[in-house]
Amino acid sequence: TMKYATKPFGTTAATLATLSLLCAAAHAGPNEDIVVGQCAALTGPASALGRGMQAGLKAALEEANAKGGVKGRKIKLLSADDEYEPEKCVDCTASMIENSHVSILAGYVGTPTAKVAVPIVQESKTPLIGIFSGAMLLREPVQRYVLNVRASYDDETEELVKYLGDKLGNRKIAVLYQNDSFGLAGLGGTEKALGRRGLKLAAKGSFERNTIAVKSGLSDILSGNPEAVVMVGPYKPVAEFVRQARTAGLKIALAAISFVGTENLIHELGAASDGIVISQVVPSPTSDLPVAKAYRQALSVSSPAEQPAYTSFEGYITGRLLVAGLEKADSLDDREKLVDAIESLTEFDLGGMTLSYSGTKHQGSTAVFMTRVSGGVARSLNSSK
């Protein structure tokens, strides 16, 4: 089999020849299942995020299958573990395209992993729908085969700074971030939001991916004497940071972006999660919106043991977009037609959340929903575009 180099992703004649064979191989016969591949963290300290996206995607696809599938064809989800490690994501993506002959990828989790998958996706012309990441590098410039659902980290950090700074009056804001492309995306977004207000970052501290080694990051942040901290990381290291910060007597405002995995953070911290502000990119999974009701119904059928959660709700919305694209596509065996179909969904109303796409816009939503944890539940602060 062919190995994809993580970087640089060279375009050799041999590569292109192999990829054209892959594309040909991935076309299913007219009565076969449409196979959707997912590479995500299914084990390790970020595994709840991968499993959440998987559960939501599965719920949406099984909901469609129960209604007869798309044009008589069933959709099958094939998920594999990349442990939230870029090298493993490269291998997983290559294997999905080469060995499993998937024609669509969806529900990837994380910036560092998606970043290395994108060149493969672009070169093999395999649509990748709904990455659990808000990084700008997945959004600008628009890449034909990368179709984002959620608001960006720039959108989220703007709303967090608006709340922590403009509303609560904190002028000294620090950032805790994961030391990779994901953390830097959140850090950069916060700095841009502060810059628009004539403010500078008070301090910053970092930790390494797939670790909870936040001690030196905390001391770097404490040195800046901040009034608020924006935390850019998944639930395990963020929970550890909150515990250590509270032990150190830090009584300031703490906020996290959606990638944290809200319910997992609350589970890790218990009562210590009270007061944490979290920006979300989908409405509350327990709300009365038609899309939330449909999600809960589909989830209860597909994964009866799963509790409704923000991450799986995002997976479900991703699955609904994928199904809508397939239903609108002129051909189920031509990926170009699927991309064209999604680009034609200029106002796709799911019932309380609308996604809009075009040839020059591959991010369906810019909506950010602000929540604050109280009594073990993330409660709405306000919602804004």
Side-chain angles (χ1 to χ4, degrees), residues 175-226:
V175 174
L176 170 78
Y177 66 99
Q178 182 168 289
N179 184 25
D180 63 8
S181 51
F182 159 50
L184 293 170
L187 174 68
T190 309
E191 286 180 319
K192 279 183 258 188
L194 289 168
R196 282 191 278 274
R197 292 158 174 81
L199 300 173
K200 281 198 160 52
L201 204 61
K204 60 183 181 182
S206 68
F207 61 91
E208 298 303 315
R209 181 178 56 247
N210 281 334
T211 74
I212 55 164
V214 295
K215 200 171 177 180
S216 68
L218 174 60
S219 71
D220 288 344
I221 283 169
L222 289 173
S223 69
N225 206 17

Side-chain angles (χ1 to χ4, degrees), residues 101-126:
H101 308 305
V102 304
S103 49
I104 308 165
L105 296 163
Y108 275 45
V109 169
T111 306
T113 41
K115 181 183 178 181
V116 294
V118 165
I120 303 172
V121 161
Q122 282 288 106
E123 205 156 333
S124 65
K125 298 184 161 69
T126 309

Side-chain angles (χ1 to χ4, degrees), residues 268-287:
E268 290 278 332
L269 283 171
S273 62
D274 267 22
I276 296 176
V277 172
I278 307 171
S279 53
Q280 312 288 357
V281 294
V282 294
S284 167
T286 57
S287 78

Side-chain angles (χ1 to χ4, degrees), residues 75-135:
I75 314 167
K76 189 173 128 194
L77 179 64
L78 189 63
S79 300
D81 186 17
D82 67 14
E83 298 170 36
Y84 193 34
E85 288 293 352
E87 295 72 23
K88 290 196 167 73
C89 187
V90 168
D91 291 343
C92 177
T93 303
S95 175
M96 283 288 180
I97 297 167
E98 259 178 71
N99 305 328
S100 306
H101 308 305
V102 304
S103 49
I104 308 165
L105 296 163
Y108 275 45
V109 169
T111 306
T113 41
K115 181 183 178 181
V116 294
V118 165
I120 303 172
V121 161
Q122 282 288 106
E123 205 156 333
S124 65
K125 298 184 161 69
T126 309
L128 171 53
I129 299 168
I131 302 166
F132 190 73
S133 163

